Amino acid sequence: MAKDWFVIHTYSGYENKVKMNLEKRVESMNMEEKIFRVLVPMEDEVEFKNGKEKVTKRKVYPGYVLVEMEMTDDSWYVVRNTPGVTGFVGTGTKPIPLLEQEVVQILQQMGMDDLRAKIDFEVNQTVQVIAGPFKDFVGVVREIFPDKGKLRVEVSMFGRETPVELDFGQVQKLD
């Protein structure tokens, strides 16, 4: 089964409560294998009050929550019957997943790139550092942290193998 992003409709103002309720239900009903991430799309909004800059989080789509999941009868039931969820966005009874470019655009707007979709590295693979203080170093991937979007890479410094933690975007594969 493929995992996709779906949009669920909630009562406006209850987005964070729905996110919390759904995450608790996923855990209590052992649905971690089918329901992966729940997001309330937010962006930073800068406002000036009394001559001071204030950054606040603003909901990009009030009344909507994004859910990354495998669509099965069980996962559909868990999400659909979460308190505060009024339904899935889609035509008729079948929820329609978001297109990949829509998801990428929303995540970028939130300041998050969907790094999990871009993991193209393997342990023991040789990579070159292309950015940061270790730029131009060549090293070997020792660990991958998909949730953080980071790799632990061993580079040779002063004749010793030294582990460094780098973002996915700081390295590229060597052929």
Side-chain angles (χ1 to χ4, degrees):
M1 270 252 146
K3 63 180 178 179
D4 287 305
W5 283 93
F6 293 88
V7 180
I8 53 176
H9 196 268
T10 68
Y11 298 115
S12 193
Y14 286 83
E15 300 88 354
N16 290 325
K17 192 162 186 60
V18 165
K19 174 182 170 24
M20 213 171 54
N21 286 341
L22 182 52
E23 287 171 342
K24 282 182 187 166
R25 282 174 61 92
V26 166
E27 196 175 317
S28 69
M29 298 173 93
N30 294 320
M31 292 298 288
E32 293 95 340
E33 304 292 310
K34 293 198 167 104
I35 302 172
F36 307 101
R37 289 194 281 179
V38 182
L39 290 178
V40 177
M42 308 278 266
E43 67 182 2
D44 288 338
E45 186 174 70
V46 178
E47 51 184 278
F48 291 92
K49 278 191 178 174
N50 303 329
K52 291 189 175 144
E53 186 178 305
K54 184 180 174 195
V55 179
T56 56
K57 292 275 186 202
R58 182 181 73 81
K59 290 182 184 91
V60 181
Y61 304 108
Y64 296 96
V65 175
L66 303 181
V67 182
E68 183 184 33
M69 62 188 277
E70 285 180 10
M71 184 54 73
T72 64
D73 289 343
D74 293 342
S75 62
W76 178 85
Y77 179 85
V78 169
V79 173
R80 178 72 188 88
N81 291 295
T82 298
V85 173
T86 56
F88 278 90
V89 173
T91 54
T93 55
K94 190 171 183 342
I96 299 171
L98 288 172
L99 299 172
E100 191 172 332
Q101 62 261 34
E102 292 172 319
V103 175
V104 168
Q105 182 182 352
I106 291 167
L107 292 174
Q108 284 174 341
Q109 188 174 3
M110 290 175 64
M112 305 166 52
D113 288 345
D114 190 7
L115 294 169
R116 282 195 218 182
K118 297 178 189 164
I119 297 175
D120 202 12
F121 301 104
E122 295 172 15
V123 173
N124 296 327
Q125 181 177 43
T126 303
V127 294
Q128 179 170 7
V129 183
I130 56 171
F134 300 100
K135 186 178 187 317
D136 297 329
F137 276 75
V138 173
V140 177
V141 176
R142 293 299 177 208
E143 274 183 275
I144 301 171
F145 307 105
D147 295 344
K148 294 180 184 174
K150 294 189 179 288
L151 301 166
R152 179 157 297 130
V153 177
E154 261 183 17
V155 295
S156 181
M157 258 195 301
F158 310 115
R160 291 198 174 105
E161 292 302 312
T162 307
V164 294
E165 204 166 279
L166 301 165
D167 291 336
F168 289 165
Q170 289 181 288
V171 297
Q172 72 180 13
K173 294 192 291 184
L174 286 179
D175 296 327

